[in-house]
Amino acid sequence: MEKSIITTGKSIDLAIAAALQQLGLDRDSVSVEVLENAKTGFLGIGACPAKVKVTYEIPDPVVEPAPALSAASRKPKKQAPKLEKPLPMPEPVKPEPKSEPKKAEPKKDQPKKQNQNKPARSRADKPAPKLQPQREYTPAEPGSQEERVETFLKGLLERMDSNAVPHAFRKDDETIGVELVGEDLGMLIGRRGETLDAIQHLANYALNHDASKRTRVSVDAENYRGKREDSLRHLAKKMAAKVIKYRKNMTLEPMNAYERHVIHATLQDMPEVTTFSTGTEPNRRVVISYVKE
């Protein structure tokens, strides 16, 4: 069973966040339909908040059928036949003399027998958890583009008070991959990868601002890019199924160009739906639309 609520906020993101806080759900568990965009008005006159409709699913209640009465239970009970003559009363039985009960002797505490065949396992006997082997990185060649990217990112991370170490490697002729290794990498990833995207943008500018041929730099930490792509593919298929079921358009949350590309590529082979982008950066969104037969 599906239910929906309508919330408002100064922006669409704040309206969605208010609905999620009210429902106690995460973003992937609901679908969002933008009803009205926020308007600032002129000098505060005519301003109106953003309005969204958030739909979520709840399990259908299970109703157990009442037990059917059998034919035997519906028939009136037969009364026992009355006796014409009263039965003779039995003679009273004389009680036998009671013998005094023997006092039970207290049981002696006996030591519990331990199974000698199975020795007790200590904590030291438990197998230690397997540690994932760390990836080995080849040092960048002096004067190469990989070394330039590493040098720039080391200086940037130091100014951000981060102890993370960048490792650059060549993925193909047009792409250089960078893996950030260290502790507290969540600060470098940021909300939905916004900080990681900013670091990647600066690395691309530092490498390509005076180059004749552009080389793309892809910065990652704790395999965030791969996990985010899997989450976006799952979201795209889930929302497409709802569009097909209810035959109405669904507007997703704001995404950057690469994340929108993942949504478009995931649904491009589904003939029942089509996708397009709407809005302006940084609030550009993907719309999943139902294709009428």
Side-chain angles (χ1 to χ4, degrees):
M1 180 186 299
E2 285 203 344
K3 286 191 173 183
S4 60
I5 61 172
I6 296 176
T7 56
T8 59
K10 291 184 179 180
S11 64
I12 293 176
D13 290 337
L14 293 177
I16 296 174
L20 296 178
Q21 184 178 6
Q22 180 178 347
L23 297 174
L25 300 174
D26 55 6
R27 183 60 182 81
D28 293 339
S29 302
V30 300
S31 60
V32 179
E33 182 180 357
V34 179
L35 301 179
E36 293 183 9
N37 291 321
K39 296 180 181 179
T40 57
F42 179 72
L43 298 178
I45 301 174
C48 64
K51 183 185 294 186
V52 297
K53 179 180 181 183
V54 177
T55 305
Y56 61 98
E57 295 182 359
I58 60 173
D60 296 332
V62 179
V63 180
E64 297 183 357
L69 298 175
S70 61
S73 62
R74 291 195 296 268
K75 293 182 179 180
K77 297 182 179 180
K78 295 182 179 180
Q79 299 180 356
K82 297 182 179 180
L83 299 177
E84 296 179 357
K85 296 181 179 181
L87 296 177
M89 297 296 292
E91 296 181 359
V93 180
K94 295 180 180 181
E96 296 181 357
K98 296 182 180 180
S99 59
E100 295 182 359
K102 296 181 179 181
K103 295 182 179 180
E105 297 180 358
K107 295 183 179 181
K108 297 181 179 181
D109 296 335
Q110 297 181 357
K112 295 182 180 180
K113 295 182 180 180
Q114 295 183 355
N115 192 352
Q116 299 179 358
N117 296 331
K118 296 181 179 180
R121 294 181 61 184
S122 62
R123 294 183 178 179
D125 297 335
K126 295 182 180 180
K130 296 182 179 180
L131 298 177
Q132 296 292 338
Q134 294 184 353
R135 178 177 176 180
E136 295 182 357
Y137 298 94
T138 304
E141 296 182 0
S144 63
Q145 290 183 321
E146 292 89 331
E147 185 190 36
R148 290 178 57 191
V149 172
E150 287 185 357
T151 302
F152 171 78
L153 289 178
K154 285 178 182 178
L156 177 63
L157 294 174
E158 288 178 359
R159 292 180 178 273
M160 296 176 65
D161 294 331
S162 174
N163 296 325
V165 179
H167 296 280
F169 54 93
R170 176 69 64 172
K171 298 180 69 173
D172 52 46
D173 294 339
E174 299 179 353
T175 307
I176 293 177
V178 179
E179 185 72 22
L180 303 182
V181 180
E183 298 179 354
D184 299 332
L185 297 178
M187 177 191 70
L188 300 180
I189 295 174
R191 179 179 177 269
R192 294 182 183 173
E194 292 177 352
T195 307
L196 194 65
D197 290 340
I199 295 173
Q200 178 175 285
H201 177 74
L202 293 175
N204 276 278
Y205 177 78
L207 182 64
N208 297 297
H209 75 283
D210 57 351
S212 58
K213 181 181 178 182
R214 179 175 177 81
T215 302
R216 180 174 176 268
V217 180
S218 176
V219 182
D220 198 1
E222 294 183 343
N223 195 27
Y224 171 80
R225 301 291 185 191
K227 296 176 183 177
R228 178 62 174 165
E229 287 183 10
D230 293 340
S231 176
L232 290 173
R233 293 190 188 98
H234 175 74
L235 175 65
K237 294 177 182 179
K238 178 181 177 181
M239 300 303 293
K242 289 188 176 183
V243 169
I244 296 173
K245 181 178 179 181
Y246 300 107
R247 299 188 177 185
K248 63 179 183 179
N249 298 352
M250 294 287 182
T251 304
L252 303 184
E253 60 194 16
M255 299 179 185
N256 57 35
Y258 179 73
E259 292 178 343
R260 296 196 303 269
H261 169 73
V262 174
I263 299 293
H264 294 313
T266 303
L267 302 180
Q268 65 181 356
D269 295 331
M270 296 185 65
E272 300 92 346
V273 298
T274 183
T275 59
F276 60 91
S277 298
T278 183
T280 57
E281 298 290 357
N283 295 319
R284 195 163 175 78
R285 307 165 184 266
V286 175
V287 179
I288 306 176
S289 176
Y290 177 72
V291 177
K292 297 181 181 180
E293 298 179 356

